Amino acid sequence: MTKPMDEMTWQEVEPGGVISEPGCASCYHTGTWRSEKPVYNPDKCIRCQRCFIMCPDASIKPDFESNCMVWDYDYCKGCGICAYECPVGAIEMVQEDE
Ligand code: SF4
Ligand code: SF4
């Protein structure tokens, strides 16, 4: 049986998650476990780029050719921060299977 934490020495604590090589986050596609996804409405968008700044996964980028924001759904985990932060409601979160 495992000892209570307050009775363990630091040598007995099991190692936690180990990042074995730099840059491995790019191999982990967080979009695979998303339950909701952001849907972008370019007609409402005022190109403030707030969503680009706030996305914790760098899944949104401005596309200067089309003058629209673009999403990389491989890394979008569906947290909804972009939709929450958009000042004009140009991003709507929908169920992944819709
Ligand atoms: S839902 Fe979250 S992870 Fe996905 S684009 Fe918006 S802020 Fe980024
Ligand atoms: S936060 Fe909203 S208005 Fe601003 S660039 Fe993103 S989608 Fe467009």
Side-chain angles (χ1 to χ4, degrees), residues 53-97:
I53 295 164
M54 300 303 289
C55 175
D57 288 296
S59 304
I60 311 169
K61 292 191 175 87
D63 177 48
F64 296 111
E65 210 164 286
S66 65
N67 192 28
C68 287
M69 306 306 290
V70 291
W71 266 251
D72 184 342
Y73 285 108
D74 278 349
Y75 297 101
C76 165
K77 63 188 171 200
C79 66
I81 291 173
C82 54
Y84 180 82
E85 293 292 340
C86 178
V88 293
I91 305 166
E92 182 189 0
M93 298 303 292
V94 301
Q95 290 296 306
E96 183 61 32
D97 52 7

Side-chain angles (χ1 to χ4, degrees), residues 4-81:
M5 280 300 283
D6 58 356
E7 293 176 20
M8 280 187 186
T9 65
W10 69 267
Q11 292 95 337
E12 293 171 307
V13 176
E14 290 287 327
V18 176
I19 296 173
S20 56
E21 51 186 83
C24 60
S26 65
C27 301
Y28 187 63
H29 290 185
T30 49
T32 56
W33 47 262
R34 185 180 57 234
S35 61
E36 289 187 38
K37 70 176 175 190
V39 175
Y40 173 57
N41 182 342
D43 294 334
K44 282 188 180 177
C45 177
I46 57 172
R47 279 68 178 173
C48 68
Q49 301 191 6
R50 192 167 173 155
C51 54
F52 163 60
I53 295 164
M54 300 303 289
C55 175
D57 288 296
S59 304
I60 311 169
K61 292 191 175 87
D63 177 48
F64 296 111
E65 210 164 286
S66 65
N67 192 28
C68 287
M69 306 306 290
V70 291
W71 266 251
D72 184 342
Y73 285 108
D74 278 349
Y75 297 101
C76 165
K77 63 188 171 200
C79 66
I81 291 173

